[in-house]
């Protein structure tokens, strides 16, 4: 394999490129309206070039077209930004700003007549955006057309530019990983900013085994470092990149950009995240945002936080866009769905997230959690040490829609166990509140005939109660154990909808849910009593995924529930004996959690330094 690149600071350019003006996405499945919106007339939009026909108007007030001025004013040291573009033809280019309420103002404008590859430069002070607002440009033509290309937003550079390493963690997603690698290699300008690309392959189906790997490897050249290691989950894969940067390459100041293997990568994210990180007032975790891969116009969330008291991740920061169609408009205001109000994140998911090496040196490495909540824990640990997280608008990749993933899966174990660990480390960890919330959740699993999910929850609590030494192997044994445990419960198995065991085609009526009950507690009590008495409203029926709430499924003896992934169904059968056994086990486990919570919390806090140390990860990597 090619030798490793040295991660050293680079000489600063005359101007620091913060983002390019793009007019189309990296894939045909992506709408051009995410980049440039044609408000009137006709415009031909290509990736780096746009032809605006006569009597047309195009706005760059779009997700990828805006410059996030509010975030630059709040977190960075740049007082001014310059917009540069090359034009041919006639028309007008206007630099436009908004405020936190989305009200607009024109900052600068230039008329163009008969231009041939003419450079246009417009600048704006970044001084009136504290609470929100962005910058973009509009193009208007009259009787002639105008070609716009070479669009660049720049700020004054730092004294030196930090080196950047991209880390792709992969496990048996060979084609996805190769696609992400190829996407990075396909765009020379962002790739020029990357010193090293670490591909950490933890799978049994090796990425390097494919013929295409040679082609992609050649395109990345000496930047690529391909590493094989045992499966230590996402935490172990991404941490390997941090370890290589800090321990092997000894980078004093570097950006480490995590990238999931299964994203649709927008290479532009490298430019936007690294430029921002180069101009922050102090080292800052800079997160890329997530757009839905199955619904590419939709943004997952503008900024999120976790409620550590209730073990609830993915909480939407007030004022942040959520599940928003970025090509749509607000029904009340009629304004484009853009993030004008500045919202501050508690953490950022690691589908694409930049972590400065200085933060690693100050707070340690991630916990060996294997999977789930590793990004949340690290974000809150960094915050406790004075390092903020910024989810940067306009810096996004497309990732599989979360609501198309079924909650009843093996990963739920890690979600619950690691939530408890994170809460113990970074919150008051009130045992009464936590046990009450988990017990309510457990009861709904039992009523909904999700016995495997209930057992998964109890296993997560039991392993948490074993204390921090249980994390010594990085989660390898836990991953194997939870899969084995869940295999004992038939309803955890997904079946093709055309081949449901025990039922002939056409024998199952589709039974949809009534409206959500207004009084949950009485309904809960009634469903519980009926199950204990063996009473049911329906013997068997099919239930759509959207109707699979406990208060509906608990009406059945057998419910064939569509999986959230829409790839099959689960067969849930009432089992009173199993429900009673799990309930008794649950009562015991929750009593122990309540009783031992303060003791266990202390043990995790005492072990934090060791768990996040160089020595722990060196041992796990066998280095």
């Amino acid at each position: 394999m090619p030798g490793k690149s040295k991660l050293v600071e680079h000489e600063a350019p005359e101007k620091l490129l913060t983002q390019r003006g793009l007019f189309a996405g990296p894939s045909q499945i992506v709408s051009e309206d995410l980049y440039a919106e044609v408000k009137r007339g006709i415009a031909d939009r290509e990736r780096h070039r746009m032809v605006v026909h006569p009597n047309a108007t195009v706005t760059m007030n779009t997700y990828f077209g805006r410059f996030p001025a509010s975030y630059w004013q709040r977190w960075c040291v740049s007082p001014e930004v310059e917009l540069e573009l090359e034009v041919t033809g006639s028309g007008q280019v206007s630099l436009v700003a908004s405020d936190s309420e989305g009200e607009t103002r024109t900052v600068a404008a230039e008329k163009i007549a008969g231009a041939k590859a003419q450079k246009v430069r417009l600048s704006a002070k970044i001084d009136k955006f504290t609470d929100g607002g962005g910058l973009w440009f509009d193009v208007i033509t009259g009787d002639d057309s105008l070609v716009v290309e070479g669009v660049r937003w720049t700020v004054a550079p730092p004294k030196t530019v930090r080196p950047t390493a991209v880390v792709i963690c992969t496990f048996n997603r060979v084609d996805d990983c190769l696609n992400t690698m190829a996407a990075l290699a396909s765009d020379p300008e962002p790739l020029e900013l990357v010193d090293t690309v670490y591909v950490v392959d933890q799978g049994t189906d090796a990425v390097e085994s494919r013929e295409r790997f040679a082609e992609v490897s050649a395109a990345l050249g000496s930047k690529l470092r391909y590493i094989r290691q045992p499966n230590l989950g996402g935490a172990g894969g991404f941490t390997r990149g941090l370890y290589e940067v800090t321990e092997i390459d000894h980078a004093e100041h570097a950006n480490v950009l995590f990238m999931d293997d299964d994203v649709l990568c927008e290479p532009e994210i490298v430019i936007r995240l690294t430029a921002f990180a180069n101009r922050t007032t102090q080292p800052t975790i800079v997160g890329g945002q997530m757009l839905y891969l199955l619904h590419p116009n939709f943004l997952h969330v503008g900024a999120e936080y976790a409620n550590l008291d209730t073990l609830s991740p993915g909480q939407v920061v007030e004022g942040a866009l959520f599940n928003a169609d970025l090509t749509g408009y607000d029904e009340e205001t009629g304004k484009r769905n853009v993030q004008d109000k500045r919202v501050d994140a508690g953490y950022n998911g690691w589908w694409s997230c930049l972590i400065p090496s200085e933060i690693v040196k100050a707070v340690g490495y991630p916990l060996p959690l294997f999977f789930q909540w590793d990004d949340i824990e690290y974000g809150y640990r960094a915050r406790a040490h004075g390092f903020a997280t910024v989810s940067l608008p306009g810096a996004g990749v497309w990732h599989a829609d979360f609501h198309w993933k079924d909650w009843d899966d093996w990963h739920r174990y890690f979600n619950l166990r690691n939530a408890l660990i994170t809460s113990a480390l970074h919150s008051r960890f009130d045992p009464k509140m936590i046990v009450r919330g988990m017990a309510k959740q457990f009861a709904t699993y039992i009523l909904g005939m999700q016995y495997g999910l209930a057992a998964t929850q109890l296993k997560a609590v039991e392993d948490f109660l074993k204390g921090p030494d249980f994390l010594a192997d990085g989660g390898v044994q836990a991953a194997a154990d939870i899969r084995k445990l869940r295999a004992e419960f038939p309803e955890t198995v997904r079946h093709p909808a055309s081949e449901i065991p025990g039922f002939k085609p056409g024998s199952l009526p589709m039974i949809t849910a009534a409206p959500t009950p207004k009084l949950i507690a009485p309904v809960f009590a009634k469903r519980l009593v009926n199950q204990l008495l063996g009473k049911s409203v329906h013997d068997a029926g099919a239930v759509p995924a959207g109707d699979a709430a406990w208060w509906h499924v608990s009406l059945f003896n057998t419910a064939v529930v569509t999986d959230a992934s829409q790839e099959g169904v689960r067969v849930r059968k009432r089992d009173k004996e199993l429900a009673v056994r799990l309930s008794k086990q649950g009562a015991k486990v929750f009593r122990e959690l309540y009783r031992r919570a303060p003791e266990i919390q202390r043990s995790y806090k005492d072990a934090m330094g060791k768990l996040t140390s160089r020595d722990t990860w060196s041992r796990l990597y066998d280095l």
Side-chain angles (χ1 to χ4, degrees):
M1 291 302 301
K4 65 188 177 206
S5 303
K6 290 188 66 177
L7 292 170
V8 295
E9 291 178 283
H10 304 289
E11 183 179 345
E14 182 181 346
K15 299 176 181 179
L16 180 67
L17 176 65
T18 68
Q19 65 184 62
R20 300 173 297 178
L22 303 173
F23 307 109
S27 166
Q28 293 302 311
I29 73 168
V30 174
S31 172
E32 294 168 343
D33 286 347
L34 287 171
Y35 293 80
E37 182 186 8
V38 182
K39 301 284 288 185
R40 177 177 66 100
I42 300 172
D44 302 324
R45 293 165 287 181
E46 302 172 10
R47 178 76 166 157
H48 299 283
R49 182 175 183 268
M50 175 174 65
V51 180
V52 184
H53 290 256
N55 302 304
T57 301
V58 175
T59 182
M60 300 295 287
N61 185 23
T62 61
Y63 180 77
F64 287 107
R66 290 164 58 98
F67 175 81
S70 180
Y71 292 77
W72 276 83
Q73 180 172 343
R74 170 63 181 87
W75 301 106
C76 299
V77 296
S78 303
E80 187 175 23
V81 63
E82 181 181 84
L83 168 67
E84 177 184 293
L85 57 160
E86 183 179 294
V87 295
T88 298
S90 301
Q92 178 175 302
V93 176
S94 302
L95 181 58
V96 185
S98 64
D99 60 20
S100 61
E101 298 300 320
E103 298 301 322
T104 63
R105 61 188 185 275
T106 299
V107 176
E110 184 164 333
K111 286 274 189 183
I112 300 137
K116 293 184 179 180
Q118 176 184 329
K119 294 288 186 182
V120 174
R121 295 181 177 88
L122 303 171
S123 61
K125 297 289 185 183
I126 309 176
D127 62 353
K128 291 180 172 59
F129 302 95
T130 300
D131 289 335
L135 287 161
W136 65 90
F137 68 93
D138 291 340
V139 179
I140 301 175
T141 58
D143 294 336
D144 298 318
S145 63
L146 187 68
V147 178
V148 181
E149 53 194 327
V151 179
R152 302 169 72 82
W153 296 81
T154 60
V155 297
K159 292 180 180 179
T160 57
V161 173
R162 301 161 59 86
T164 295
V166 172
V167 182
I168 302 171
C169 169
T170 187
F171 176 78
N172 289 349
R173 286 176 173 155
V174 177
D175 291 334
D176 288 338
C177 183
L178 286 170
N179 289 339
T180 300
M181 294 167 64
L184 290 171
S186 70
D187 198 331
E189 196 157 20
L191 184 62
E192 182 68 24
L193 302 176
V194 176
D195 295 77
T196 308
V197 178
Y198 297 98
V199 176
V200 183
D201 190 347
Q202 303 185 126
T204 55
D205 185 8
V207 175
E208 64 180 347
S209 67
R210 298 295 198 275
E211 290 184 11
R212 189 182 172 204
F213 179 79
E215 174 190 340
V216 177
S217 176
L220 292 172
S222 62
K223 298 178 187 288
L224 177 63
R225 289 189 62 196
Y226 179 72
I227 299 170
R228 295 291 304 278
Q229 69 180 32
N231 184 22
L232 295 168
F238 284 128
T239 299
R240 182 61 183 269
L242 295 177
Y243 185 95
E244 292 287 322
V245 169
T246 56
E247 305 293 345
I248 307 301
D249 288 331
H250 302 290
E252 291 295 321
H253 309 285
N255 302 319
V256 185
L257 175 54
F258 293 169
M259 190 77 70
D260 265 353
D261 58 354
D262 59 344
V263 297
L264 171 56
C265 177
E266 168 54 89
E268 175 72 8
I269 197 171
V270 174
I271 294 175
R272 301 188 182 193
L273 293 187
T274 59
F276 194 87
N278 269 291
R279 295 273 67 192
T280 53
T281 55
Q282 64 176 351
T284 302
I285 296 175
V286 188
Q289 296 183 335
M290 172 184 150
L291 290 81
Y292 291 141
L293 187 58
L294 293 176
H295 303 86
N297 290 349
F298 281 76
L299 176 72
H300 168 49
V301 64
E304 59 188 331
Y305 70 98
N307 187 330
L308 301 183
D309 291 328
T310 60
L311 310 182
S312 303
Q315 304 300 294
V316 181
V317 173
E318 184 177 357
L321 291 175
F322 172 64
N323 195 29
D325 181 358
L326 298 170
T327 62
Y329 289 80
D330 185 276
E331 292 183 0
E332 293 184 4
T333 65
K335 296 175 182 176
R336 187 71 178 264
N337 288 333
V338 291
Q339 189 69 62
D340 272 313
K341 181 178 180 181
R342 197 196 81 243
V343 288
D344 297 335
Y347 69 94
N348 198 93
W350 282 356
W351 45 75
S352 186
C353 187
L354 184 153
I355 300 177
S357 58
E358 296 92 331
I359 294 181
V360 180
K361 292 173 184 175
V363 311
Y365 290 105
L367 282 169
L369 297 178
F370 192 83
F371 187 57
Q372 299 282 331
W373 279 75
D374 43 357
D375 45 12
I376 301 175
E377 189 283 321
Y378 202 78
Y380 279 96
R381 191 181 349 146
R383 179 174 292 274
H385 284 76
F387 300 107
T389 294
V390 174
S391 293
L392 188 64
V397 295
W398 291 267
H399 186 279
D401 307 28
F402 281 163
H403 53 278
W404 282 57
K405 293 183 177 182
D406 204 276
W407 199 237
D408 190 355
D409 204 351
W410 67 275
H411 63 72
R412 180 65 176 137
Y413 162 86
F414 287 101
N415 189 291
L416 290 164
R417 189 201 69 179
N418 298 344
L420 286 166
I421 293 171
T422 303
S423 181
L425 290 170
H426 302 297
S427 80
R428 56 181 176 163
F429 201 61
D430 180 353
K432 184 177 181 180
M433 180 179 293
I434 287 174
V435 169
R436 183 192 297 125
M438 294 194 79
K440 286 182 178 178
Q441 201 171 54
F442 176 81
T444 65
Y445 296 158
I446 295 295
L447 282 178
M449 300 178 288
Q450 292 179 289
Y451 305 118
L453 186 54
T456 299
Q457 183 187 36
L458 297 183
K459 174 68 172 170
V461 178
E462 289 170 342
D463 288 351
F464 167 74
L465 291 170
K466 293 177 181 177
D469 289 345
F470 188 72
L471 301 176
D473 71 344
V476 175
Q477 189 59 48
D481 288 347
I482 193 59
R483 289 176 184 271
K484 182 179 179 181
L485 173 65
R486 288 178 55 81
E488 299 175 9
F489 298 89
E491 84 283 352
T492 65
V493 178
R494 188 170 62 206
H495 305 278
S498 58
E499 300 176 14
I500 305 171
F503 294 94
K504 295 179 180 180
S507 64
L508 279 172
M510 178 69 74
I511 302 176
T512 56
T516 303
K518 294 181 179 180
L519 300 175
I520 292 294
V523 172
F524 182 90
K526 182 179 179 180
R527 298 286 192 274
L528 179 61
V529 170
N530 285 343
Q531 284 209 359
L532 290 173
L533 296 176
K535 295 180 179 180
S536 64
V537 175
H538 310 290
D539 180 46
V543 177
D547 289 341
W550 61 266
W551 45 265
H552 179 57
V553 177
S554 56
L555 297 172
F556 294 75
N557 281 325
T558 301
V560 178
V561 180
T562 303
D563 196 78
S565 69
Q566 297 294 310
E567 294 178 1
V569 297
R570 313 279 187 103
V571 181
R572 303 189 200 174
K573 292 185 177 181
R574 186 179 297 185
D575 188 328
K576 178 181 175 181
E577 182 179 339
L578 179 57
V580 171
R581 177 170 64 82
L582 284 170
S583 297
K584 290 180 178 178
Q585 180 187 354
K588 179 181 177 182
V589 169
F590 292 135
R591 279 197 303 269
E592 184 178 1
L593 175 61
Y594 182 85
R595 179 176 60 85
R596 296 183 57 204
E599 162 211 338
I600 293 296
Q601 182 181 29
R602 284 193 300 271
S603 71
Y604 279 101
K605 287 189 172 184
D606 290 345
M608 169 69 88
K610 179 181 178 182
L611 288 171
T612 61
S613 69
R614 174 188 186 276
D615 290 343
T616 289
W617 285 106
S618 295
R619 175 179 56 79
L620 289 171
Y621 296 138
D622 195 24
L623 296 175

